Amino acid sequence: MASIRRTLSPAYHHRSYQNGAGFSSPSHKFLPNGNSKHSSSRHLPLLFTAVNLVCRKGWRRSLCWCLFFFLIGFVFGITLFGNMDTDIRAKDFAFPELKPPHVDLRLDDQIVTSVSLGIHTRLQEPKEVDDLIGPPLKQLIVVTPTYNRGFQAYFLNRLGQVLRLVKPPLVWIVVEEKVASFETAEILRRTGVMYRHVVCTRSPSEPKDRGVHQRNAALEHIERHKVDGIVFFADDDNVYTVELFESLRTIRRFGTWPVAMLAPSKNKAILEGPVCNGSQVIGWHTNEKSKRLRRFHVDMSGFAFNSSILWDPKRWGRPYSNPIRQLDTVKEGFQETTFIEQVVEDESQMEGIIPGCSRIMNWHLHLDTSNLIYPKGWLLEKNLEITLAIK
């Protein structure tokens, strides 16, 4: 194999090379003027050294080994990465195909139309319910004075069962004297009617004043708590219809109606109350000569009034603001008319309940229970439960 030799410069005489050949920079070989910089010819000796080794040891054998290992690497790479590429495409990188959603204009129009109709229907439902229910009902405030006597439990239970049939709202104010008894409270709880158990602490000087003081205690309770509604004095020994209580809710200021009652002789019935032309009061029914001096001929259970008259006099144009109470200084039978005179001025401020006042809706029987005969061994003055508990 031919070798390339040239005379070494004096700077390289002390260096020896293999095969006794001196190797120098090829700058004079490739550059015509031989004056190039060392930085541009620094990598050329490495290239000629590699070419010299290939030519010296046999470039064919090196090329065969290079091709052999290239083929092995190529086959190994195809086998390994070919399966991996299939798995990756099939599993790991199987991204879903992103497409814009299909828009059907006709379908969208149907959806919007159905939603609009649904909202419109729901908005109308409360109105339809309100039309069926109607305006809210006025609250009824039923005042009942009671005391310990024969048939007290019967009277309270009978009245409580009637009030139970009346549509709410209704509050039953039951007034006892001195103390609220356990027996009365138990009866009121069993009726299922909303009630208030009030005690009258004022002791009456006469039996006729008992009911007057008890009703005044209820009026004071209503005025203090500003209970809004229609006040009705319902004694427990009277008989009432459910229609009467439902009719009370039509009262704006003061309402009245005729009451049927037994005469003192108990052999005939008499009528006491207003004579009406429609809902206008034009006169009064009365049969007793002693009561013809009264201004208004009404029974205690024959009228009702708005409770705001008690605690809001300016609303009704009352010239004075004195508390409205029943009087115990007047004769028996005049408590009704003296009380009504504090509420209204004349018949023009009254309303006849039931057009024409032509229907009897409650009875005043005047039952006297003081002379009731109990079986032998029973004592009216003592409570049997307390007596047995003491023994």
Side-chain angles (χ1 to χ4, degrees):
M1 182 179 295
S3 62
I4 301 174
R5 297 184 181 182
R6 69 179 181 86
T7 305
L8 296 175
S9 62
Y12 294 92
H13 283 176
H14 64 281
R15 300 174 64 179
S16 59
Y17 298 91
Q18 295 179 2
N19 299 329
F23 189 82
S24 63
S25 175
S27 59
H28 298 285
K29 190 80 176 178
F30 291 92
L31 296 176
N33 52 11
N35 297 325
S36 64
K37 298 180 181 179
H38 294 284
S39 60
S40 61
S41 60
R42 185 176 299 172
H43 301 286
L44 292 177
L46 297 177
L47 179 60
F48 281 98
T49 302
V51 172
N52 188 21
L53 291 175
V54 171
C55 295
R56 187 181 302 175
K57 295 184 179 180
W59 59 273
R60 290 187 179 88
R61 191 172 71 176
S62 300
L63 181 62
C64 291
W65 281 109
C66 181
L67 293 175
F68 176 76
F69 286 111
F70 176 80
L71 292 176
I72 292 176
F74 180 79
V75 174
F76 182 80
I78 291 176
T79 304
L80 179 62
F81 292 101
N83 295 334
M84 184 179 296
D85 183 60
T86 303
D87 295 339
I88 289 174
R89 281 196 224 130
K91 298 180 182 178
D92 296 327
F93 294 92
F95 293 102
E97 185 178 3
L98 299 178
K99 293 182 179 181
H102 180 67
V103 179
D104 190 353
L105 295 179
R106 290 178 298 175
L107 183 59
D108 292 344
D109 291 341
Q110 293 177 1
I111 294 175
V112 172
T113 303
S114 62
V115 172
S116 176
L117 292 175
I119 295 175
H120 184 65
T121 303
R122 287 193 291 270
L123 291 176
Q124 286 185 345
E125 287 178 358
K127 295 182 180 179
E128 295 176 357
V129 173
D130 293 340
D131 294 339
L132 295 176
I133 297 176
L137 299 177
K138 291 183 180 179
Q139 179 173 245
L140 299 182
I141 307 171
V142 182
V143 177
T144 301
T146 186
Y147 60 97
N148 186 15
R149 68 193 189 281
F151 286 109
Q152 179 190 11
Y154 166 72
F155 290 151
L156 288 176
N157 277 294
R158 183 180 64 180
L159 179 56
Q161 295 303 317
V162 176
L163 297 179
R164 190 174 183 177
L165 301 176
V166 181
K167 295 179 181 179
L170 182 147
V171 57
W172 188 17
I173 300 180
V174 179
V175 187
E176 283 192 293
E177 55 181 353
K178 297 181 181 180
V179 65
S181 64
F182 172 80
E183 293 79 7
T184 301
E186 187 66 22
I187 293 173
L188 298 179
R189 281 193 292 268
R190 289 200 302 263
T191 58
V193 180
M194 185 173 65
Y195 70 92
R196 296 187 182 184
H197 201 174
V198 180
V199 176
C200 177
T201 58
R202 185 174 179 180
S203 300
S205 57
E206 297 182 14
K208 69 179 183 65
D209 298 333
R210 180 191 296 114
V212 173
H213 297 324
Q214 290 177 329
R215 295 186 190 96
N216 286 339
L219 293 174
E220 183 180 356
H221 178 84
I222 296 171
E223 182 178 356
R224 184 190 311 117
H225 298 283
K226 295 183 179 181
V227 184
D228 191 16
I230 304 299
V231 181
F232 173 50
F233 298 121
D235 293 341
D236 56 1
D237 57 346
N238 291 353
V239 179
Y240 308 91
T241 62
V242 178
E243 183 183 6
L244 170 63
F245 294 97
E246 298 296 345
S247 302
L248 297 181
R249 292 192 166 100
T250 62
I251 296 175
R252 180 178 176 272
R253 175 170 182 165
F254 183 93
T256 182
W257 56 91
V259 178
M261 59 184 65
L262 288 177
S265 60
K266 303 295 189 294
N267 57 1
K268 65 176 181 179
I270 59 177
L271 191 65
E272 189 174 53
V275 178
C276 301
N277 182 13
S279 61
Q280 182 181 4
V281 179
I282 59 176
W284 304 96
H285 294 284
T286 181
N287 291 322
E288 298 184 23
K289 296 180 180 180
S290 60
K291 294 184 178 180
R292 290 180 181 176
L293 299 175
R294 295 187 301 173
R295 174 67 180 86
F296 303 110
H297 301 270
V298 185
D299 185 74
M300 187 63 70
S301 61
F303 67 91
F305 61 95
N306 197 312
S307 65
S308 61
I309 297 177
L310 301 175
W311 42 268
D312 191 7
K314 293 182 180 180
R315 174 184 175 185
W316 304 101
R318 288 178 54 207
Y320 51 90
S321 58
N322 296 330
I324 299 177
R325 300 291 185 269
Q326 293 188 7
L327 305 178
D328 59 353
T329 57
V330 298
K331 295 181 180 180
E332 186 178 2
F334 284 83
Q335 285 89 359
E336 296 89 347
T337 183
T338 55
F339 178 80
I340 296 174
E341 290 173 4
Q342 303 176 61
V343 180
V344 296
E345 296 177 357
D346 52 28
E347 286 83 355
S348 63
Q349 297 179 344
M350 297 182 178
E351 310 165 37
I353 302 304
I354 299 296
C357 300
S358 58
R359 190 175 302 174
I360 303 301
M361 295 180 290
N362 65 315
W363 286 75
H364 192 176
L365 302 180
H366 294 287
L367 295 178
D368 187 9
T369 60
S370 59
N371 297 324
L372 290 177
I373 300 176
Y374 279 79
K376 185 178 180 179
W378 284 47
L379 297 177
L380 181 63
E381 293 82 5
K382 296 182 180 180
N383 190 311
L384 293 180
E385 295 181 359
I386 297 178
T387 303
L388 294 175
I390 294 175
K391 292 182 179 180

